[in-house]
Amino acid sequence: MSLLQISEPGQAPEPHQQKRAVGIDLGTTNSLVATVRSGSTDTLTDLEGRHILPSVVRYTESGIEVGHEAWAHAVEDSLNTIVSVKRLMGRGLKDVSTLGGVLPYQFAESESRMPLIQTRKGAFSPVEISAEILRTLAERASESLGGELDGAVITVPAYFDDGQRQATKDAARLAGINVYRLLNEPTAAAVAYGLDEGAEGVIAVYDLGGGTFDISVLRLNKGVFEVMATGGDSALGGDDFDKVLAGWILDQAGIGHDALESGSHRAVMVEARRAKEALTDNDTVSVSHGDWSGEVTKALFNELVEPLVTKTLRSFKRALRDGGVKARDLQEVVMVGGSTRVPLVRDKVAELAGKEPLTSIDPDRVVAMGAARQANALAGNKSADEMLLLDVIPLSLGLETMGGLMEKVIHRNTTIPVSRAQEFTTYKDGQTAMAVQVLQGERELVNDNRSLARFELRGIPPLPAGSAKIRVTFQVDADGLLSVSAEELSTGVSSSVVVKPSYGLSDDEITRMLRDSQTSAASDRDARKLREQEVEADRLGEALAVALDTDGKALLSEEEFSALVSDLRNLKSVRGSGDADAIKVEIERVAKASDAFAARRMNQGIRNALSGHKIDEFKES
Ligand code: ADP
Ligand code: MG
């Protein structure tokens, strides 16, 4: 999620200084780790030559098992064997209760907002459990690469919100992994196919995994993937294929379906999954459950899962509609996830897209491989002119307004490139110059944010306060460079600066800034409210003082004059009280008291302006 300066031009390290950088696909069902070695990208295997690490963690009497070992006990030790923990990442207790039917765990009572899963070894949070998976992969990688890892890119679903992304980062930190950045899974898959280096255009990434279906429509523009639309179904995947097949098996064996729903019947699910995977390359497969044994054909399997596949196609079409794209406009469709091996899935997607989807890279490994390429680039292992892929801004960008307040112009997590304009006005009568301070951060007060640059707009025509129109435009290009320009609209005078918003800001600093903004949200709001009232009081006070000075004697009776002078004095003293509500009340009172005076000044102003002119001159406008 971060916008990092990757390496200075011409400073790519020598080959012997190559950093140990990996990409990690932290999946719901399976996880993998990959790296780039001598220019080629590969997933790393365990000692037995297996690429995939099942995302399963089991708490045993003697310790912790992760992966195949844990998966092997999922049936008999289901309460201590945690599967699909990704579904709980960054979720509150409330969200989790709705997953109760899907996940058979006991959730522990806890003070924290995070759900804790009760096991024989204690209660663990999803972050801790995910950390075990990440740690196992990181150890595999550092053994294979011969040393400590320098950093990793970890993938997350495109729809993951802040909380889910943050939880993923926390898990990595717990596992002792330096996270270069999180990368959207569909973007990673597209990068694995090298689409970031290809022609610009729109692509779709169809990801059918074990428990989830994600469809993403991305637009590639100058090496940057912009997410145009995402969709899918968080409760639809290969597991559901298993379930319908398991249901069929139970029917054949003359056993009721109730067991399936309770989640206690993992044995028939395991058998169904085995059969399903075998059917990808075989037309007939034998199956057994308990005393029963029989055969299942590909044709029968297709019939069973067809409604599920059709459901994914509906989501696909909806995402295309949301993105404003026609199926025939798709440049490529990338297939991701183990379940896209099912021949029926491939056929149906090809039919919808009107072209063969990309399947040449193993759909289990493609996300990890793309992440590895990205990690390699972020580590500075590639030369500077190669891929630099930035998709969102990590912190909001804005500018200082009166009273030391931060006004956000581009909010964090906005996809780049992006351009946003906002109009501002002058604070004082006759103001001819304006200082623009460019800020980065989430806090309300200028001083709590980072100042990126400062420049001035001069030559604003002298107009009454609030009449000049100044448009400030923020633009972040595909390289993450921010330029800010300010233009006075009636005269066209303008001024601008170019800044590198992220330069020197580490991921940790970004995290800290975000954390600060969350913990200080309430006090920030109060501070902002007070500053706004103080600014308004100053503005009114100054305007009234000037008005009394120039026209007070001429337009007011002596009583009126001294009443307003004392109003002004009151306003100034309440202004210093630090009480936003009191200041507001006083502002309203003084504004009302000076209404009549303001009206007389306006009439006189018009008369003065008209004197010496023929009325005709003004008829046109
Ligand atoms: P996730 O992204 O959820 O971790 P994966 O992308 O690893 O999941 O996909 C896991 C799913 O892919 C499982 O449902 C598994 O049964 C299925 N799968 C793996 N290999 C095959 C195959 N050869 N044929 C059909 N389905 C398969
Ligand atoms: Mg996946």
Side-chain angles (χ1 to χ4, degrees):
M1 289 281 89
S2 41
L3 199 68
L4 295 174
Q5 181 69 18
I6 287 166
S7 68
E8 291 299 325
Q11 286 192 351
E14 297 298 306
H16 64 272
Q17 298 177 304
Q18 289 269 322
K19 295 251 175 77
R20 293 185 195 91
V22 298
I24 295 178
D25 171 5
L26 182 61
T28 310
T29 317
N30 294 312
S31 297
L32 295 100
V33 58
T35 195
V36 177
R37 269 187 292 203
S38 344
S40 84
T41 312
D42 249 316
T43 44
L44 303 172
T45 60
D46 62 11
L47 297 174
E48 273 137 277
R50 298 176 296 205
H51 296 263
I52 282 176
L53 179 75
S55 305
V56 183
V57 177
R58 177 179 177 228
Y59 294 87
T60 69
E61 283 304 339
S62 55
I64 299 173
E65 291 172 354
V66 179
H68 296 279
E69 247 182 317
W71 174 237
H73 294 95
V75 177
E76 94 238 13
D77 192 17
S78 61
L79 288 184
N80 299 296
T81 308
I82 317 303
V83 301
S84 298
V85 69
K86 185 173 176 178
R87 288 175 179 280
L88 304 177
M89 289 294 269
R91 301 298 197 89
L93 273 173
K94 258 211 214 92
D95 314 319
V96 167
S97 57
T98 65
L99 290 168
V102 192
L103 302 172
Y105 309 116
Q106 295 175 340
F107 291 102
E109 290 293 322
S110 84
E111 295 283 292
S112 70
R113 278 187 50 253
M114 236 192 264
L116 297 179
I117 297 172
Q118 190 64 53
T119 74
R120 65 161 67 87
K121 298 302 275 184
F124 298 97
S125 69
V127 168
E128 290 169 287
I129 298 165
S130 298
E132 297 299 341
I133 300 167
L134 289 171
R135 197 188 329 263
T136 305
L137 291 171
E139 276 165 15
R140 177 192 291 187
S142 61
E143 265 161 42
S144 163
L145 299 178
E148 283 275 295
L149 295 186
D150 288 286
V153 166
I154 300 177
T155 57
V156 290
Y159 60 78
F160 253 27
D161 66 18
D162 269 7
Q164 293 168 301
R165 286 170 198 265
Q166 198 53 56
T168 306
K169 277 193 158 183
D170 290 346
R173 198 166 310 151
L174 257 187
I177 297 170
N178 169 36
V179 181
Y180 288 136
R181 63 177 298 181
L182 301 179
L183 183 65
N184 287 337
E185 287 162 12
T187 306
V191 168
Y193 276 101
L195 298 184
D196 52 309
E197 290 159 3
E200 322 224 307
V202 179
I203 63 164
V205 179
Y206 178 103
D207 181 351
L208 190 60
T212 54
F213 169 60
D214 298 317
I215 181 77
S216 312
V217 180
L218 310 176
R219 186 204 300 280
L220 176 63
N221 186 10
K222 301 198 182 84
V224 174
F225 288 99
E226 185 192 341
V227 179
M228 298 175 72
T230 63
D233 190 332
S234 60
L236 175 60
D239 297 349
D240 299 284
F241 293 13
D242 302 349
K243 223 183 237 173
V244 291
L245 186 53
W248 180 85
I249 294 172
L250 289 176
D251 275 346
Q252 301 302 303
I255 303 170
H257 285 213
D258 298 351
L260 260 188
E261 298 308 320
S262 75
S264 64
H265 229 77
R266 285 196 195 172
V268 67
M269 291 290 285
V270 169
E271 174 66 352
R273 177 164 168 178
R274 186 196 60 76
K276 170 193 75 176
E277 293 179 6
L279 279 169
T280 289
D281 300 308
N282 300 280
D283 286 333
T284 318
V285 168
S286 27
V287 283
S288 66
H289 182 66
D291 299 335
W292 177 85
S293 67
E295 277 194 337
V296 53
T297 63
K298 192 179 265 177
L300 172 78
F301 175 72
N302 285 351
E303 212 174 287
L304 289 171
V305 301
E306 160 129 33
L308 298 170
V309 179
T310 303
K311 225 171 146 191
T312 69
L313 298 181
R314 272 203 297 273
S315 300
F316 194 163
K317 286 182 205 154
R318 195 174 317 126
L320 288 173
R321 236 185 354 261
D322 290 348
V325 179
K326 299 253 180 310
R328 63 167 181 280
D329 297 334
L330 290 173
Q331 208 123 351
E332 299 289 355
V333 179
V334 179
M335 296 293 254
V336 180
S339 300
T340 61
R341 287 212 185 78
V342 173
L344 181 75
V345 171
R346 294 188 174 186
D347 294 347
K348 291 284 185 185
V349 170
E351 200 181 298
L352 171 67
K355 59 160 53 74
E356 283 305 312
L358 296 174
T359 54
S360 63
I361 302 179
D362 186 337
D364 291 330
R365 292 154 58 193
V366 63
V367 167
M369 287 164 73
R373 286 187 48 168
Q374 178 70 2
N376 191 50
L378 289 169
N381 289 345
K382 300 180 85 179
S383 61
D385 56 326
E386 284 178 276
M387 168 186 78
L388 201 156
L389 191 122
L390 302 161
D391 49 10
V392 298
I393 63 162
L395 293 167
S396 302
L397 298 167
L399 46 79
E400 172 173 5
T401 56
M402 284 304 298
L405 294 176
M406 156 85 156
E407 176 76 24
K408 288 172 189 166
V409 177
I410 302 180
H411 286 259
R412 65 183 295 263
N413 277 347
T414 303
T415 313
I416 58 169
V418 60
S419 167
R420 292 272 153 79
Q422 206 153 309
E423 274 181 24
F424 295 87
T425 188
T426 45
Y427 172 77
K428 280 190 180 167
D429 284 341
Q431 183 179 344
T432 59
M434 187 174 101
V436 179
Q437 160 135 253
V438 183
L439 300 166
Q440 180 180 44
E442 307 311 313
R443 302 285 299 272
E444 298 285 359
L445 301 183
V446 166
N447 289 344
D448 296 325
N449 291 296
R450 206 170 109 98
S451 171
L452 295 176
R454 174 187 273 290
F455 68 100
E456 282 183 357
L457 176 64
R458 301 193 160 278
I460 302 171
L463 292 167
S467 318
K469 276 214 174 96
I470 293 140
R471 179 185 291 146
V472 178
T473 307
F474 276 56
Q475 191 167 358
V476 183
D477 70 12
D479 294 327
L481 282 181
L482 167 71
S483 45
V484 181
S485 59
E487 182 186 4
E488 200 290 307
L489 295 177
S490 71
T491 53
V493 291
S494 68
S495 174
S496 65
V497 283
V498 174
V499 275
K500 273 185 192 173
S502 56
Y503 189 78
L505 206 57
S506 72
D507 258 18
D508 279 353
E509 284 172 284
I510 291 176
T511 311
R512 185 186 53 71
M513 290 170 84
L514 290 176
R515 195 172 345 96
D516 285 354
S517 79
Q518 280 151 13
T519 52
S520 345
S523 65
D524 264 21
R525 253 195 318 278
D526 293 345
R528 181 178 192 107
K529 198 170 134 198
L530 176 61
R531 288 303 289 141
E532 279 171 353
Q533 294 307 324
E534 287 174 350
V535 168
E536 189 53 26
D538 289 346
R539 200 192 55 71
L540 178 61
E542 236 166 282
L544 184 55
V546 170
L548 285 171
D549 225 33
T550 45
D551 298 324
K553 290 272 152 54
L555 298 176
L556 295 169
S557 73
E558 222 161 279
E559 277 138 60
E560 285 170 330
F561 186 81
S562 63
L564 281 179
V565 169
S566 107
D567 280 336
L568 186 57
R569 209 175 306 122
N570 279 344
L571 179 65
K572 279 190 181 142
S573 89
V574 177
R575 145 76 171 84
S577 68
D579 180 344
D581 293 332
I583 301 175
K584 188 164 185 229
V585 169
E586 188 61 18
I587 289 170
E588 279 161 13
R589 206 184 60 75
V590 174
K592 210 161 167 207
S594 58
D595 256 4
F597 178 38
R600 269 178 245 170
R601 291 191 74 216
M602 192 117 79
N603 285 334
Q604 179 197 260
I606 292 171
R607 247 179 282 126
N608 287 348
L610 295 180
S611 65
H613 292 275
K614 282 191 275 145
I615 294 295
D616 290 9
E617 287 176 32
F618 294 90
K619 265 195 178 152
E620 286 303 315
S621 53

